[in-house]
Amino acid sequence: MPFKITITDDADRQLRSLPVRDQRILEAAILSRLEHQPTTATKAIKRLRPNPLAEFELRAGDLRGLYNVEGDEVVVLIVGRKVGNKLIVEGEEFHGHQDNPVEPPGNGSQGDAD
C-alpha cells in the first residue's frame, strides 16, 4: 500500500521559494522515494539523530526534505538546500532540526588561548 504524502504549508512555501528546476527535482524525489518504503535507509533517505522536528531526511543532490512518517502518511515538514554542513531554508540557515545547536563563538565556547 502506498503512503499518503502530505506537504505542510511551510514546506510548500519553502519549496516554491526554490528555482523551478529545483522544485521539479525535489517533487520528483518526494513522489518516487517516499511513496513506498519511506523509512528504509538508502543513499537518498537517512534517519536523523533524535531531534524535536523530523525523523528522516530525503536527499536529492544538494536539496533536502525533512519529514516524519505517521502511520500510513509521510509528512514533509521542511524543504531546503544543503550548503556545506548547513541547511538553508528560504535563504536563512536553519537550526530547528538540531537538538544541540552550536553556540556562536564568544558565547561560552572554549577556544585555544595562544
Side-chain angles (χ1 to χ4, degrees), residues 34-112:
L34 301 185
E35 188 174 22
H36 302 282
Q37 300 180 331
T39 60
T40 302
T42 65
K43 270 185 110 170
I45 295 174
K46 176 184 174 187
R47 182 180 295 265
L48 298 172
R49 282 180 263 165
N51 71 73
L53 181 65
E55 189 175 358
F56 296 95
E57 175 184 70
L58 172 66
R59 301 172 177 190
D62 64 346
L63 302 170
R64 299 291 187 268
L66 302 183
Y67 66 95
N68 286 327
V69 177
E70 301 169 2
D72 64 349
E73 182 178 15
V74 173
V75 181
V76 180
L77 304 164
I78 299 289
V79 171
R81 179 182 308 280
K82 192 77 171 199
V83 178
N85 63 350
K86 298 175 176 151
L87 179 62
I88 307 299
V89 176
E90 293 183 310
E92 300 284 326
E93 186 175 352
F94 183 74
H95 296 283
H97 65 300
Q98 300 173 349
D99 50 345
N100 293 317
V102 177
E103 288 190 33
N107 289 351
S109 62
Q110 302 216 358
D112 293 331

